[in-house]
Amino acid sequence: MTVTFAKDKRFDLVAIGRACIDLNATEYNRPMEETMTFSKYVGGSPANVAIGSSKLGLKTGFIGKLADDQHGRFIRSYMDGVGVDTSEMITDTEGHKTGLTFTEIKSPEECSILMYRTEVADLFLRPEEVSEAYIAEAKMLLVSGTALAQSPSREAVFQAVDYAKKNNVTIVFELDYRPYTWQSAEETSVYYKWAAEQANLVIGTRDEYDILENQENGDDEETAKALLAHRAELVVIKHGVDGSIAFEEDGTITRAKAYPSNVLKTFGAGDSYASAFLYALVNGKSTQEALQFGGASAAIVVSKHSSSEAMPTVGEIEDLLKQHEQRV
Amino acid sequence: MTVTFAKDKRFDLVAIGRACIDLNATEYNRPMEETMTFSKYVGGSPANVAIGSSKLGLKTGFIGKLADDQHGRFIRSYMDGVGVDTSEMITDTEGHKTGLTFTEIKSPEECSILMYRTEVADLFLRPEEVSEAYIAEAKMLLVSGTALAQSPSREAVFQAVDYAKKNNVTIVFELDYRPYTWQSAEETSVYYKWAAEQANLVIGTRDEYDILENQENGDDEETAKALLAHRAELVVIKHGVDGSIAFEEDGTITRAKAYPSNVLKTFGAGDSYASAFLYALVNGKSTQEALQFGGASAAIVVSKHSSSEAMPTVGEIEDLLKQHEQRV
Amino acid sequence: MTVTFAKDKRFDLVAIGRACIDLNATEYNRPMEETMTFSKYVGGSPANVAIGSSKLGLKTGFIGKLADDQHGRFIRSYMDGVGVDTSEMITDTEGHKTGLTFTEIKSPEECSILMYRTEVADLFLRPEEVSEAYIAEAKMLLVSGTALAQSPSREAVFQAVDYAKKNNVTIVFELDYRPYTWQSAEETSVYYKWAAEQANLVIGTRDEYDILENQENGDDEETAKALLAHRAELVVIKHGVDGSIAFEEDGTITRAKAYPSNVLKTFGAGDSYASAFLYALVNGKSTQEALQFGGASAAIVVSKHSSSEAMPTVGEIEDLLKQHEQRV
Amino acid sequence: MTVTFAKDKRFDLVAIGRACIDLNATEYNRPMEETMTFSKYVGGSPANVAIGSSKLGLKTGFIGKLADDQHGRFIRSYMDGVGVDTSEMITDTEGHKTGLTFTEIKSPEECSILMYRTEVADLFLRPEEVSEAYIAEAKMLLVSGTALAQSPSREAVFQAVDYAKKNNVTIVFELDYRPYTWQSAEETSVYYKWAAEQANLVIGTRDEYDILENQENGDDEETAKALLAHRAELVVIKHGVDGSIAFEEDGTITRAKAYPSNVLKTFGAGDSYASAFLYALVNGKSTQEALQFGGASAAIVVSKHSSSEAMPTVGEIEDLLKQHEQRV
């Protein structure tokens, strides 16, 4: 394993970025126009990863900004409840609202979302609201790409990354690309490149790496080579049902297949993948095992209704992995 | 009756302003933080009035702007379904979203809402998108105060009012004050005054008239006198459970009591009031009868879950009125 | 004379709107690219009219907002110096800058300007900063169209007009159209129409009335008829070298020729016209005489370098008028 | 010398950032309120450095965005005239104006400026408008701190720096701090730190380094140490009349005194310093000589009226240096 983590820290993982509300259609296999009821969950990629890894047993914390309203209070209370430390989730004082994601499940293959991201609270986290002492207590800092989409959240991430580097905290960059609030492909690429060049560990789908490189049909090996020339020690590129590939500094390339699943919807796959993958790494498992953990966790979540609530336990992941071993 | 209407028009009522989505807590008597499921309805004051009056049998149309997404399409389809003409509801092409209102019903006395109004589609209706020919076909134009909260929707209302005056269309101003998107009390007062001075018929609660006058504890008679000195022929001031008062140009003052109701929530009371009141007026009923129709309609809606779906029929209103006559 | 003025007021004229800086090329007959030196003057249509009418002997005051910087202080000091009351010129506290106009005099026929109007201080006057008592002390309130171009200055004008109507102050609307800061032709037309319908006296060029009507090649008689149907008592339409026409409520139409001049540049013609025209009216002269006063004043200013400094005295105007009488 | 430059390139120096208009008071020793005439010059730190180094004989180019108006055309024409390549100065197509700086010279010790920087054209340079091929042709890329103050100019600088690194172009960061358009001290510090960590050569005043570090009374040695730990090879910290200090990667520290001057105003000192300092370095002179060149050039410019026009020749600098040798 090339990615190393500091020992004896208060937190295994501290995530920075958005914690929002998902409103999931309670009826499936129909367009949202015909959906009449929605169930409320905590959502947002870094929040999901924090929740998922906390359920797996990691000590986690969150840096973000919450609306001063019923949705903001629900998010704080839910995350507290699943063991995520919320002491650094600042309450917004300027009337900004919570980001929303309505999900539509027409069929397992046709899922879409409708996002409310205009002037939402999480994008207003300011650099001076990020605590160096808090970051210094973490083994890793998880940065979500969406937090770079606008000022001042963008500068808060710059600040957090600076603190992480100063305090020897492993930086994980989850690309988490959402085509909202970004002004242009060039702007996106500028900040994605910046973040990927600071990170020790980069995780994303092939499509997301293409956004980072502002090109189409990029090549995995070239992508990995470019990032490993900077601070990256491990670059994970995901290819959906075709599995994932990890590239390491020493030249090692590791591949893993995706696990078959009774897919209900595709939402949450990436976040559950990241939770389990990071859980495995920080617990000293091999890259191969970590990729399998990630894949298994994703397979479980896509068969369930929510992204956050559905995050599996270690036992569930290990059961699924065992099942597949036996089949082989 | 002092308010008169043109005859032989295609529409009894054309409303201008917002048509949005209400997300109503399916569980009652609890804070929104603990509400886990929401039901979707069409909402927004002028949309509710159009829907309500269409259900009462009026020929209605709507001028507005809808998001080009699932919520926008749902609104159009729902309004079509209840008989509101949507041919002048423009589809937004700039990515704006549908306004949202989450409702919370802690108790019949403690209802609150959480509104998403930042850069929503309805506020982007432009003056050049308002059709003079369409307005000319209406007996009355219903203007909602919220449509004045921002440009260019504000100028679209100015334009619509100008067309209504040119074409002898009765202008109804429903104050419908929402403390969102307005910059200051002074700005609000400036545009509320402007609209009230153009209208033939003004309807609002005492609190809303105080907003118009930018003062506290205003006096009904002075309020009415000031507006009747302009174009107003009829000024209705509502006092909740204490009933409502109508002031007319010729000095007539008419009072009506509110009807007792098994109150579930207070939302939608104003819109159902306006629907039935305007239905009665346009059908030649007296001011007294119109006030009673309004009050009865409100009493029915506050006992039900939604604002738009719950709009009563003429039969339901007449039944309630009869019941109360017998009791007297 | 149909336009009447209250007697015994502290001010003959109070203007509301912008007071800015003109930077006039000291070299003539060349493009601005080759101009290396600029002279500083107070500028902005309503400021020029206030200065011009003060030099003619009217008691004048100004309602506006000035930048808290060297340019703002210069404007206040200059206007004080020529006798304009500046007690209601608010100093901006939010860092907005003074509007600027660079002028270019390629030839008497080819003059152009380069305006800095982005977030300038005068557009930030708020309705609550307008004093009813101050307006009540004026015989007339001069409203400049440019003050309607943006909020909150727009609402400040609505407020001022409301106060003027309540206190029996004659409202003069100088169209003063500048294609900056307006969002669209429709928006402009909406507010120009609104202001023209409130005014007792409307002054503008034919081109400006076309902006008001959002059409091309409008007809003077129709324009006047439409406005005289509202509050207007006198409508003046200017046609440059072809002179001007005044339409009055009682059907009187008065025409006046423009006076020949040794034209240096065309800037300032409209403001000097308005100053002298209003001076004449408020001093009880006939419409015919007032038009001549306006024309003579314009003829003097276009032969000089600045707009504000060059404003003539009554003596200069009367001399020019006498000269022309003798020639006839 | 530790800073090295590529050989055989088309340009010695390519600067990126703002090119604006200075309006310098033609009268001295008085407040701007009393200044009635202003002379026009090209201004803006990176433009001044490009002009100054071109006059010293360097081959220079400029990457920026110019307003499509008389001021924009003047800037292009002036820079062309002094030999700066302007082929990569894009003309704005969205109506943005040229930045302006009015200067006030109350006394040699009391100089102040009044800047117009709201939505000016230079801040709208976009990353996709920056040419990699052009930057690849330069020995050094000069980045001005002000270009980082707002998007999209900020991202254009990120892009330019990325191209410079890829093409082995020496990156010079001139701090050039102006407290306009920045949102907060933290935001400024974030981007100043980022740029300083990318640069091979950093130049600024002690005050500017304090801005970079978001602290007061920083220590030169610590500042230099922190930056030399990144890509910096040479860090120059200027102390006004107390001279300047250069810190190099190998631990060398070089000091130089400021030259006495008949000071008229302090504007332009930094830009003339940078021009001559970079001229010296790129011509293979020692750090000591380069500091002296910078100091001599600054001493000459502060005795003259403008910043750009007054940039000295090599002969003038050498004369001043000789004079002072003789005196020693």
Side-chain angles (χ1 to χ4, degrees):
Chain A
M1 257 316 298
T2 52
V3 181
T4 54
F5 301 95
K7 308 256 174 225
D8 301 324
K9 296 268 194 151
R10 180 175 163 210
F11 296 112
D12 294 301
L13 177 149
V14 164
I16 183 167
R18 76 190 197 280
C20 298
I21 293 283
D22 282 356
L23 288 158
N24 290 358
T26 56
E27 302 100 339
Y28 305 155
N29 301 326
R30 64 178 64 179
M32 199 186 299
E33 287 86 334
E34 297 170 21
T35 300
M36 298 310 286
T37 324
F38 296 90
S39 291
K40 181 180 77 171
Y41 297 98
V42 170
S45 174
N48 285 341
V49 177
I51 290 165
S53 57
S54 183
K55 283 181 77 170
L56 292 169
L58 295 193
K59 289 168 286 173
T60 62
F62 202 88
I63 300 171
K65 185 165 267 188
L66 291 174
D68 186 16
D69 61 21
Q70 294 96 329
H71 287 342
R73 287 188 289 276
F74 166 69
I75 294 170
R76 184 185 298 278
S77 146
Y78 182 86
M79 291 181 74
D80 275 343
V82 297
V84 178
D85 182 82
T86 62
S87 61
E88 291 295 323
M89 297 184 84
I90 314 285
T91 297
D92 175 81
T93 57
E94 297 167 313
H96 300 116
K97 296 282 188 297
T98 305
L100 301 177
T101 304
F102 290 88
T103 63
E104 173 183 56
I105 305 172
K106 288 192 190 170
S107 73
E109 294 77 34
E110 265 192 293
C111 297
S112 74
I113 58 177
L114 175 55
M115 276 186 123
Y116 280 69
R117 295 286 302 154
T118 306
E119 297 191 15
V120 291
D122 61 86
L123 291 171
F124 288 88
L125 183 70
R126 292 198 301 268
E128 61 271 32
E129 293 172 331
V130 175
S131 157
E132 176 167 4
Y134 194 74
I135 289 174
E137 290 183 303
K139 289 185 186 170
M140 61 180 139
L141 174 73
L142 177 82
V143 170
S144 152
T146 301
L148 289 162
Q150 257 177 22
S151 295
S153 165
R154 181 181 285 166
E155 289 84 42
V157 173
F158 270 75
Q159 187 65 78
V161 163
D162 195 50
Y163 289 152
K165 286 160 83 172
K166 263 171 76 176
N167 290 282
N168 205 26
V169 176
T170 299
I171 298 169
V172 181
F173 181 40
E174 228 290 358
L175 301 190
D176 175 34
Y177 173 68
R178 301 288 177 189
Y180 299 85
T181 62
W182 290 100
Q183 297 299 307
S184 69
E186 288 77 16
E187 184 200 37
T188 315
S189 176
V190 155
Y191 292 107
Y192 265 76
K193 247 185 216 164
W194 169 82
E197 291 177 6
Q198 315 303 312
N200 304 89
L201 204 165
V202 188
I203 310 178
T205 64
R206 180 63 249 170
D207 286 352
E208 290 174 329
Y209 282 103
D210 286 352
I211 294 290
L212 182 155
E213 294 170 343
N214 197 17
Q215 63 163 9
E216 293 181 3
N217 304 315
D219 178 80
D220 285 359
E221 304 222 0
E222 282 179 29
T223 296
K225 197 178 146 197
L227 294 178
L228 293 169
H230 286 89
R231 298 184 81 238
E233 302 161 42
L234 178 57
V235 173
V236 178
I237 305 179
K238 297 181 291 179
H239 286 266
V241 293
D242 297 328
S244 50
I245 319 180
F247 297 86
E248 296 182 60
E249 252 185 328
D250 62 4
T252 315
I253 298 179
T254 315
R255 286 163 204 277
K257 296 202 166 163
Y259 294 97
S261 177
N262 188 10
V263 180
L264 173 65
K265 45 77 183 156
T266 53
F267 313 126
D271 303 334
S272 54
Y273 186 103
S275 308
F277 180 76
L278 295 173
Y279 164 81
L281 281 193
V282 87
N283 278 288
K285 297 193 186 287
S286 71
T287 302
Q288 181 70 52
E289 287 170 305
L291 292 176
Q292 288 170 338
F293 254 70
S297 179
I300 292 166
V301 164
V302 295
S303 70
K304 300 195 174 166
H305 186 243
S306 81
S307 297
S308 49
E309 278 275 306
M311 288 290 180
T313 60
V314 176
E316 291 177 274
I317 292 174
E318 287 177 343
D319 284 354
L320 187 143
L321 291 177
K322 251 180 236 160
Q323 268 184 307
H324 283 279
E325 268 170 46
Q326 290 161 352
R327 286 191 195 160
V328 176
Chain B
M1 256 315 299
T2 54
V3 182
T4 53
F5 300 95
K7 308 257 174 224
D8 300 324
K9 296 268 194 153
R10 180 176 163 209
F11 296 113
D12 293 301
L13 177 149
V14 164
I16 184 167
R18 76 190 198 280
C20 297
I21 293 284
D22 283 355
L23 288 158
N24 290 359
T26 56
E27 303 99 340
Y28 304 156
N29 302 325
R30 62 180 64 179
M32 199 188 299
E33 287 86 334
E34 296 170 22
T35 300
M36 299 309 288
T37 323
F38 295 90
S39 292
K40 182 179 75 171
Y41 297 98
V42 170
S45 174
N48 286 341
V49 177
I51 291 165
S53 57
S54 183
K55 283 181 78 170
L56 292 168
L58 295 193
K59 289 168 285 171
T60 61
F62 202 89
I63 300 171
K65 185 165 264 189
L66 291 174
D68 185 16
D69 61 21
Q70 293 95 330
H71 287 344
R73 286 188 290 275
F74 166 70
I75 294 169
R76 184 184 299 277
S77 146
Y78 182 86
M79 291 180 74
D80 275 343
V82 297
V84 179
D85 181 81
T86 62
S87 62
E88 291 296 322
M89 297 184 83
I90 313 286
T91 299
D92 174 81
T93 57
E94 297 168 312
H96 300 116
K97 296 282 188 295
T98 305
L100 301 177
T101 303
F102 290 88
T103 63
E104 174 182 53
I105 304 171
K106 288 193 191 172
S107 72
E109 294 76 34
E110 265 191 292
C111 297
S112 74
I113 58 176
L114 175 54
M115 274 187 125
Y116 280 69
R117 294 286 304 154
T118 307
E119 298 190 15
V120 291
D122 60 84
L123 291 171
F124 288 88
L125 183 70
R126 293 198 300 269
E128 62 269 34
E129 292 171 332
V130 174
S131 158
E132 178 168 2
Y134 194 75
I135 289 174
E137 291 182 304
K139 291 185 186 168
M140 63 181 136
L141 174 73
L142 177 82
V143 170
S144 152
T146 302
L148 289 162
Q150 258 177 21
S151 295
S153 165
R154 180 181 287 166
E155 288 85 41
V157 173
F158 270 74
Q159 188 66 79
V161 163
D162 194 51
Y163 289 152
K165 286 161 83 173
K166 263 170 76 176
N167 291 282
N168 204 26
V169 177
T170 299
I171 298 170
V172 181
F173 182 40
E174 228 290 356
L175 301 190
D176 175 34
Y177 173 69
R178 301 288 177 187
Y180 299 86
T181 62
W182 289 101
Q183 297 298 307
S184 70
E186 287 78 15
E187 184 200 39
T188 315
S189 176
V190 155
Y191 293 107
Y192 265 75
K193 247 184 217 164
W194 169 83
E197 291 177 5
Q198 315 304 312
N200 304 88
L201 203 165
V202 188
I203 309 178
T205 65
R206 180 63 249 169
D207 287 351
E208 290 174 328
Y209 283 103
D210 285 352
I211 294 290
L212 183 155
E213 295 170 345
N214 196 18
Q215 63 163 8
E216 293 181 5
N217 304 315
D219 177 80
D220 285 359
E221 305 222 0
E222 283 179 29
T223 297
K225 196 178 147 198
L227 295 178
L228 293 168
H230 287 89
R231 299 184 81 239
E233 303 161 41
L234 179 56
V235 174
V236 178
I237 305 180
K238 298 181 291 178
H239 286 267
V241 293
D242 296 328
S244 49
I245 318 179
F247 296 85
E248 297 181 61
E249 254 185 327
D250 61 4
T252 315
I253 299 180
T254 315
R255 287 163 205 276
K257 295 203 167 162
Y259 295 96
S261 176
N262 188 11
V263 181
L264 173 65
K265 45 78 183 157
T266 53
F267 313 126
D271 303 333
S272 53
Y273 186 102
S275 308
F277 180 77
L278 295 173
Y279 164 82
L281 282 194
V282 90
N283 278 289
K285 297 192 186 287
S286 71
T287 302
Q288 181 70 52
E289 286 170 306
L291 292 175
Q292 287 170 340
F293 254 69
S297 178
I300 293 167
V301 164
V302 295
S303 71
K304 300 196 176 167
H305 186 242
S306 81
S307 298
S308 49
E309 278 276 305
M311 288 289 179
T313 59
V314 176
E316 292 177 274
I317 292 173
E318 288 177 342
D319 284 354
L320 188 142
L321 290 177
K322 251 180 238 161
Q323 267 184 308
H324 283 279
E325 270 169 46
Q326 292 162 351
R327 286 192 194 157
V328 175
Chain C
M1 255 318 298
T2 53
V3 182
T4 53
F5 301 95
K7 308 257 173 223
D8 300 324
K9 297 266 194 153
R10 180 175 163 210
F11 296 112
D12 294 299
L13 177 149
V14 163
I16 185 166
R18 75 191 199 280
C20 298
I21 294 283
D22 283 356
L23 289 158
N24 290 359
T26 56
E27 303 100 339
Y28 305 155
N29 302 324
R30 64 180 64 180
M32 200 187 299
E33 287 86 334
E34 296 170 22
T35 300
M36 300 309 289
T37 323
F38 295 90
S39 291
K40 182 180 77 173
Y41 298 97
V42 170
S45 173
N48 286 340
V49 177
I51 291 166
S53 57
S54 182
K55 283 181 77 170
L56 292 169
L58 295 191
K59 289 168 285 170
T60 63
F62 202 90
I63 300 171
K65 186 164 264 189
L66 291 174
D68 186 15
D69 62 20
Q70 293 96 329
H71 287 343
R73 287 187 290 275
F74 166 70
I75 294 170
R76 184 184 297 277
S77 147
Y78 182 86
M79 291 180 73
D80 275 342
V82 297
V84 178
D85 182 82
T86 62
S87 62
E88 290 296 322
M89 297 184 83
I90 314 286
T91 298
D92 174 83
T93 57
E94 297 167 313
H96 299 116
K97 296 281 186 298
T98 305
L100 301 178
T101 304
F102 290 87
T103 63
E104 175 183 54
I105 306 172
K106 287 193 191 171
S107 72
E109 293 77 34
E110 265 192 293
C111 297
S112 74
I113 58 176
L114 175 55
M115 274 186 125
Y116 280 70
R117 295 287 303 156
T118 308
E119 298 191 15
V120 291
D122 60 86
L123 292 171
F124 289 88
L125 183 71
R126 293 198 300 270
E128 62 270 34
E129 292 171 333
V130 175
S131 159
E132 177 168 3
Y134 194 74
I135 289 174
E137 290 182 305
K139 291 185 185 168
M140 62 180 137
L141 174 72
L142 177 82
V143 170
S144 152
T146 302
L148 289 162
Q150 258 177 21
S151 294
S153 166
R154 179 181 286 167
E155 289 84 39
V157 173
F158 270 74
Q159 188 65 80
V161 162
D162 194 51
Y163 289 152
K165 285 160 85 173
K166 262 170 77 176
N167 291 281
N168 204 27
V169 177
T170 300
I171 298 170
V172 181
F173 182 39
E174 227 290 357
L175 301 190
D176 176 33
Y177 173 68
R178 301 290 176 186
Y180 299 84
T181 62
W182 290 101
Q183 298 298 307
S184 69
E186 287 78 15
E187 184 200 40
T188 314
S189 176
V190 156
Y191 293 106
Y192 265 76
K193 246 184 218 165
W194 169 82
E197 290 177 6
Q198 315 303 313
N200 304 88
L201 203 167
V202 188
I203 310 177
T205 65
R206 180 64 249 170
D207 287 352
E208 289 174 329
Y209 282 102
D210 285 352
I211 294 290
L212 183 155
E213 295 170 344
N214 196 19
Q215 63 163 9
E216 293 182 4
N217 304 316
D219 177 80
D220 285 358
E221 304 223 1
E222 283 180 29
T223 297
K225 196 179 148 196
L227 294 178
L228 293 168
H230 287 88
R231 299 185 81 239
E233 303 161 41
L234 178 56
V235 174
V236 179
I237 305 180
K238 297 180 291 178
H239 286 268
V241 293
D242 296 328
S244 49
I245 318 180
F247 297 86
E248 296 181 61
E249 255 186 325
D250 62 4
T252 315
I253 299 180
T254 315
R255 287 164 204 276
K257 297 203 165 160
Y259 295 96
S261 177
N262 188 11
V263 181
L264 174 64
K265 44 77 183 159
T266 52
F267 314 126
D271 304 333
S272 53
Y273 186 103
S275 308
F277 180 77
L278 296 172
Y279 163 82
L281 282 193
V282 90
N283 278 288
K285 297 191 187 288
S286 71
T287 302
Q288 181 69 54
E289 287 170 304
L291 292 174
Q292 287 170 338
F293 254 70
S297 178
I300 292 167
V301 164
V302 296
S303 71
K304 298 195 176 168
H305 187 242
S306 80
S307 298
S308 49
E309 278 275 306
M311 289 288 180
T313 60
V314 176
E316 291 177 275
I317 292 173
E318 289 177 343
D319 283 354
L320 188 141
L321 291 177
K322 252 180 235 162
Q323 266 184 307
H324 284 279
E325 270 171 44
Q326 291 162 351
R327 285 192 196 158
V328 177
Chain D
M1 259 316 298
T2 53
V3 182
T4 53
F5 301 95
K7 307 258 173 224
D8 301 324
K9 296 267 194 152
R10 181 176 162 208
F11 296 113
D12 294 300
L13 178 149
V14 164
I16 184 167
R18 77 190 197 280
C20 298
I21 294 284
D22 283 356
L23 288 158
N24 291 358
T26 56
E27 302 99 340
Y28 306 156
N29 303 323
R30 65 179 63 179
M32 199 187 299
E33 287 86 334
E34 297 171 21
T35 300
M36 299 309 288
T37 324
F38 296 90
S39 291
K40 181 179 77 172
Y41 297 97
V42 170
S45 174
N48 286 340
V49 177
I51 291 165
S53 57
S54 183
K55 283 182 76 171
L56 291 168
L58 295 192
K59 288 169 285 171
T60 62
F62 201 89
I63 300 170
K65 185 165 266 188
L66 292 174
D68 186 16
D69 62 20
Q70 294 95 329
H71 286 343
R73 287 187 289 276
F74 166 69
I75 294 170
R76 184 185 297 278
S77 148
Y78 182 86
M79 291 181 74
D80 275 343
V82 297
V84 178
D85 182 82
T86 62
S87 60
E88 291 295 323
M89 297 184 84
I90 313 287
T91 298
D92 175 83
T93 57
E94 296 168 314
H96 300 115
K97 295 282 187 297
T98 305
L100 301 177
T101 305
F102 290 87
T103 64
E104 174 182 54
I105 305 172
K106 287 193 190 169
S107 72
E109 293 76 35
E110 266 191 293
C111 297
S112 74
I113 58 177
L114 176 55
M115 275 186 124
Y116 280 70
R117 295 287 303 155
T118 307
E119 298 193 15
V120 290
D122 60 87
L123 291 170
F124 287 88
L125 183 70
R126 293 198 301 269
E128 61 270 33
E129 292 171 333
V130 174
S131 158
E132 177 168 4
Y134 194 75
I135 289 174
E137 290 183 304
K139 291 185 185 169
M140 61 180 139
L141 174 73
L142 177 83
V143 170
S144 152
T146 302
L148 289 161
Q150 259 178 22
S151 294
S153 166
R154 180 181 285 166
E155 289 84 40
V157 172
F158 270 74
Q159 188 64 80
V161 162
D162 194 51
Y163 289 152
K165 286 161 83 173
K166 262 171 76 176
N167 291 281
N168 204 26
V169 177
T170 299
I171 298 170
V172 181
F173 182 39
E174 227 290 356
L175 302 190
D176 175 33
Y177 173 68
R178 301 289 176 187
Y180 299 84
T181 62
W182 289 100
Q183 297 299 306
S184 69
E186 288 76 16
E187 184 201 39
T188 315
S189 176
V190 156
Y191 292 106
Y192 265 77
K193 247 185 216 163
W194 169 82
E197 290 177 6
Q198 314 304 310
N200 305 88
L201 204 166
V202 188
I203 310 178
T205 65
R206 180 64 249 169
D207 287 351
E208 289 174 329
Y209 282 102
D210 285 352
I211 294 290
L212 183 155
E213 295 170 344
N214 196 17
Q215 64 163 9
E216 292 182 3
N217 304 315
D219 177 80
D220 286 359
E221 304 222 1
E222 283 179 28
T223 297
K225 197 177 147 198
L227 294 178
L228 293 168
H230 286 87
R231 297 184 83 239
E233 303 161 42
L234 179 57
V235 174
V236 178
I237 305 178
K238 297 181 291 178
H239 286 267
V241 293
D242 296 328
S244 50
I245 318 181
F247 296 86
E248 297 182 59
E249 255 185 324
D250 62 4
T252 313
I253 298 180
T254 314
R255 287 164 204 277
K257 296 202 166 161
Y259 295 97
S261 177
N262 188 12
V263 181
L264 173 63
K265 46 75 185 160
T266 52
F267 313 126
D271 303 334
S272 53
Y273 186 102
S275 308
F277 180 76
L278 295 173
Y279 164 81
L281 281 193
V282 89
N283 278 289
K285 297 192 186 286
S286 71
T287 302
Q288 181 69 54
E289 286 170 306
L291 292 176
Q292 287 169 339
F293 254 71
S297 179
I300 291 167
V301 164
V302 295
S303 70
K304 299 194 176 167
H305 186 242
S306 81
S307 297
S308 50
E309 278 276 306
M311 289 287 180
T313 59
V314 176
E316 290 177 275
I317 293 174
E318 288 178 342
D319 283 354
L320 187 143
L321 291 176
K322 251 180 237 161
Q323 267 184 308
H324 284 279
E325 268 172 44
Q326 291 163 350
R327 284 190 194 158
V328 176

